[in-house]
Amino acid sequence: MTKPTPPRQQRTRLTKSKVESLAYTPDGQQIVWDDLLRGFGLLIGKQSKSFFVQRNVRDPEGRSKTVRRSIGRFGKDITVELARKEAETLLANLKNGIDPKEQKRQ
């Protein structure tokens, strides 16, 4: 059994013109990390480009885990500027141990 290929990754300044210029991927996914805000990225697929945040956090037992939270799809749901502001809030919350997904469950 073969493992799936991990997404290709690069780092650049995420701006409206940059995101528009990035081509959809014919196969698999590509991750583009923002060079200004660590943990803020863009996931490019075959038909969409979606913003997300990712951060390593500790669970109550002290184990480290990677948490990724979606922000929205570029153009349809959110602009780059609004996604960056939302990312700043989400990353600050994750840093302080607040996971929005876990809060919704409670």
Side-chain angles (χ1 to χ4, degrees), residues 52-93:
F52 69 94
V53 295
Q54 181 173 305
R55 183 174 177 88
N56 289 332
V57 296
R58 297 224 176 258
D59 65 13
E61 290 81 38
R63 296 178 299 224
S64 180
K65 67 177 185 173
T66 301
V67 175
R68 184 183 287 183
R69 297 292 173 253
S70 176
I71 296 173
R73 290 194 327 195
F74 171 70
K76 183 172 184 170
D77 298 334
I78 199 162
T79 65
V80 177
E81 296 81 14
L82 289 175
R84 185 183 309 279
K85 286 180 184 176
E86 179 69 17
E88 288 171 348
T89 301
L90 287 169
L91 289 167
N93 286 340

Side-chain angles (χ1 to χ4, degrees), residues 30-50:
Q30 178 182 4
I31 292 176
V32 180
W33 293 105
D34 186 54
D35 65 357
L36 289 177
L37 182 58
R38 185 181 178 138
F40 175 50
L42 178 73
L43 181 65
I44 304 172
K46 292 180 183 180
Q47 298 179 344
S48 66
K49 300 174 185 178
S50 298

